[in-house]
Amino acid sequence: MSALRSNALALLAIVGVTLLQGLYAVKLNTDFYRVHAPFYDSCSYTNQLADVAVVARTEGVAAGIKRSLSGNVALPWLEMTALARIVEPSRRLGVWLQSAWLTLLALSIYWYLIRYRAIPSWLGFCLTMPFISFSQIYVWNGGLPDFRMDLSLYIFTSLFLVWYLATYETQAKYPWVFSGMGAMLACLSRATAPVYLVLMLGPLLAIRFWNARGRRRELAVNCAWMGAPIAFATGAFLIYNFHYLYFYYVTWNPDANRHLPWSQSYAHFLMTGWSLGNVMVACSLAALFLNLAIGLRGRVRQVDWKPVWLAAAAPLFLFFRGAGLNPFVTMPAVFGALLFSYLPFRGPQPAFSRGWSSVLIGILAATASISSALTPNARRPYLEPITTRVAGFNSLIDRMNQDASQRGARRIKYIVPEIGDFNSGALANLLIYEYGAMPGPDGDLRTGLGVTYDFPQQAAFVPAAEVQWKLDVPGQTDEDKMANLVSMGTKLPDYLLLPDDPTLDWLEHNLGFNYINLKTRELKTRLLATGTWVRLGNPAVTSEHEAIEVYRRRSR
C-alpha cells in the first residue's frame, strides 16, 4: 500500500474514531442527566450557551459577539453565535463543540508524527490515540461528556504545542502560523491560557534564541508570524474584558488565591497522572522504559527535554503558587507527559527501527486508549462521587408550577440563597433543558407556554465569596446587609427554596467556602419569623447530603 493511501486511511480512521467518541460521550451525558442534576461548572456554561443563543437570534450577530466577549470565556459563545439560527442550544451541543476541536488536535498530532518524526502511518495512528483518549476524557466532571473549559484548555494548548514543536523540524512558515492560531483559540477558550502558554513556551523560546546566533532576526520574524493571530483576536478579548477578568481571576477566584503550603500543593504533580488514569500511566511508563532501554546507550545527548518541560511547567507553577487543588487545571501537562513517553529522543526513535519494539509500543498506546474508553467515570482520589438526584430537583419545580397554576399565576418568582449540590444555576439549567424555558431580556426564564421564572436580585442572594458579599449585597455592615436581604426576601419572591436544618449543618461545615452558606441559616430564620411563608410538603431530597424545603407566600 502506498504511503499516500495509508495516510489517507489513517486520517479517515481518526475522524471515524473521534466521531464514535463523540457519540459515546453524548450517551454518557444523556445517561448522567437521566439520574443526576446539573453541577458547577458545567451548568454555568450550558446556561450561558442558551443565553448567547437567544441574544444572537433576537438582537443579531453583533449583539451575540458582544455578549460572547463579556465573560471569562469567549470561543464557545462565538461558536454559538455563528450557529444560533440553525442549531438549538443543548447539553449535547456542548459535547460536539469540544469533540470537533478534539478531532483537529488528533489530526494535527498524527500529521506531526508521520510528517516530521517519520513514523509509519499505522504506528502514528496508535500513538495519536492516547492524546485524545486518556482517562479524564471520559469522566462526568471535566471530560468530554461534560461541558467546561478545562478540557478545551488542554485541547488548544496541545494544538499550540504540537505545531510549535513542528517548527523545530522544518523551515516552513505555516507551523508558526498554526501554532499561533492554537494559542489564539486557547486564550479565547480560557482567559488563564496566556499564563500556561508563557510558562510552557518562554524557556524553550529563550534557549532557542540563545542558540540561534546569526539567525535571531529570522527567528524573531517567525515569532511574529506566530504572534499575529494571538494579537489579532485574543488581544481584543483580553483588553475588552480586562476589568472583569482581573476581578474574576485575581480578586475573587478562591482557587487561584488559596496559597496552600507545599505540603498540600504537591498534589498538583499527582493530578496529571490521575488525569491519565492508572492504565495509561502504566502503559506510558512501559513505553518509556522500552524506548530508553533500546536507545539511551550512547544517545544521552539526544534525549529531548522539551516535552519534559511541557509536562512539568503547569504543575510547577501551581505548586509554587499554592493554588487550590482544582483537579483539572494540570490537564495541559498531559501532552508533554505522553509525548516524552513515546518519543523521548530527538530525531529518529531507536525503538521504532525494530519491528517487535515498535509493534509493542503501538499495542501499549492502543491498549491504554481503549481501556480509558471502556472504564468511563473511573474513581478519582480528588473527585467525590456525585450523589445528586434529579428527581428531587424536578419535585421542587413541579411544586412551584402546581401551586402557581392553582393560583392562576404566570410568573414564578423564587429565591435560592445557598450554593451546594442544589443551587440557582442547576435549577435554571433544568428549567432550560428539561422544562423548555429560555433566557429572557431581563435575566428571567420564559417557556413557550407563557410561564416565566424569575430569581430577583440573584447576585445579592448568592455571593460565593466574601468580596461579592461586600460588593453585591446592599448595606454597610453585615447587619445592614442581612436586614436588606430579609426585606428583599420578604417582598420580592413568591417562593423560597431553603435547606432543611441537617442540610444547613452540612453546607456550613463542608461548603462554607461558598460565603452565602455561612449566612443562609440566619436568613432562613429571619424570613420564616415574619410569618409570611407556609411550607409546601416535605423536604425534597436533592442529594445524599441535601434536602430542600419549598415555602410559598401566604398572601400579598
Side-chain angles (χ1 to χ4, degrees), residues 140-163:
W140 60 272
N141 190 352
L144 189 58
D146 187 16
F147 182 53
R148 55 184 294 162
M149 298 305 107
D150 301 285
L151 177 58
S152 293
L153 179 62
Y154 162 75
I155 292 171
F156 294 125
T157 53
S158 299
L159 194 64
F160 158 71
L161 293 171
V162 72
W163 283 108

Side-chain angles (χ1 to χ4, degrees), residues 439-463:
D442 301 320
D444 51 18
L445 297 170
R446 304 177 180 185
T447 71
L449 300 176
V451 177
T452 299
Y453 300 89
D454 185 21
F455 185 168
Q457 298 294 323
Q458 181 170 346
F461 282 103
V462 289

Side-chain angles (χ1 to χ4, degrees), residues 33 102 231-232 296 303 312 324 336 393 411-412 437 443 465 504 541 550 553:
Y33 285 110
L102 201 60
F232 174 73
L296 188 58
V303 172
F393 283 68
R411 189 175 188 87
I412 298 174
L504 285 169
V541 177
V550 183
R553 183 180 298 279

Side-chain angles (χ1 to χ4, degrees), residues 242-283:
F242 174 79
H243 292 293
Y244 174 78
L245 294 174
Y246 184 86
F247 170 80
Y248 185 88
Y249 288 110
V250 179
T251 305
W252 170 77
N253 193 285
D255 281 333
N257 298 302
R258 193 64 56 87
H259 303 298
L260 295 177
W262 291 354
S263 60
Q264 296 179 33
S265 66
Y266 78 91
H268 286 294
F269 294 104
L270 303 178
M271 287 179 179
T272 302
W274 295 339
S275 292
L276 288 168
N278 292 336
V279 175
M280 183 70 73
V281 168
C283 289

Side-chain angles (χ1 to χ4, degrees), residues 245-531:
L245 294 174
Y246 184 86
F247 170 80
Y248 185 88
Y249 288 110
V250 179
T251 305
W252 170 77
N253 193 285
D255 281 333
N257 298 302
R258 193 64 56 87
H259 303 298
L260 295 177
W262 291 354
S263 60
Q264 296 179 33
S265 66
Y266 78 91
H268 286 294
F269 294 104
L270 303 178
M271 287 179 179
T272 302
W274 295 339
S275 292
L276 288 168
N278 292 336
V279 175
M280 183 70 73
V281 168
C283 289
S284 298
L285 288 175
L288 177 61
F289 176 81
L290 186 58
N291 272 304
L292 295 178
I294 293 175
L296 188 58
R297 179 176 296 180
R299 290 177 58 90
V300 174
R301 291 180 178 272
Q302 295 301 311
V303 172
D304 191 355
W305 297 107
K306 295 190 293 295
V308 176
W309 171 249
L310 298 179
L316 276 172
F317 170 73
L318 296 166
F319 168 72
F320 284 114
R321 182 172 172 78
L325 299 179
N326 183 322
F328 312 114
V329 293
T330 58
M331 214 186 308
V334 163
F335 175 82
L338 288 174
L339 189 64
F340 186 71
S341 296
Y342 293 107
L343 284 84
F345 298 102
R346 288 181 279 118
Q349 305 300 303
F352 297 165
S353 64
R354 306 183 184 188
W356 68 269
S357 56
S358 60
V359 169
L360 182 53
I361 290 173
I363 290 174
L364 287 169
T367 299
S369 305
I370 294 170
S371 174
S372 297
L374 294 178
T375 54
N377 299 318
R379 289 292 301 272
R380 292 286 190 278
Y382 55 82
L383 192 62
E384 293 292 328
I386 189 164
T387 63
T388 56
R389 304 173 188 177
V390 72
F393 283 68
N394 290 338
S395 171
L396 297 171
I397 296 172
D398 293 341
R399 289 185 208 180
M400 290 193 296
N401 285 342
Q402 291 167 8
D403 183 75
S405 177
Q406 291 172 2
R407 296 186 294 107
R410 306 294 289 174
R411 189 175 188 87
I412 298 174
K413 295 184 178 182
Y414 62 90
I415 64 170
V416 185
E418 67 262 18
I419 303 176
D421 289 333
F422 183 80
N423 56 76
S424 59
L427 189 67
N429 195 270
L430 286 169
L431 289 171
I432 293 170
Y433 294 111
E434 307 293 342
Y435 287 80
M438 290 297 284
D442 301 320
D444 51 18
L445 297 170
R446 304 177 180 185
T447 71
L449 300 176
V451 177
T452 299
Y453 300 89
D454 185 21
F455 185 168
Q457 298 294 323
Q458 181 170 346
F461 282 103
V462 289
E466 186 175 6
V467 64
Q468 291 170 299
W469 170 263
K470 294 177 179 178
L471 293 174
D472 295 334
V473 183
Q476 295 298 316
T477 67
D478 279 3
E479 174 55 33
D480 291 341
K481 293 176 182 293
M482 181 59 67
N484 284 323
L485 286 180
V486 173
S487 176
M488 290 188 294
T490 302
K491 296 175 182 177
L492 297 178
D494 303 304
Y495 300 92
L496 308 177
L497 288 83
L498 301 171
D500 65 5
D501 289 343
T503 301
L504 285 169
D505 293 336
W506 164 259
L507 293 174
E508 290 168 350
H509 294 147
N510 296 277
L511 299 177
F513 53 83
N514 290 324
Y515 195 75
I516 186 58
N517 293 340
L518 303 178
K519 305 292 184 180
T520 305
R521 185 186 299 273
E522 181 181 356
L523 179 59
K524 176 182 178 180
T525 300
R526 292 172 66 165
L527 283 172
L528 297 185
T530 64

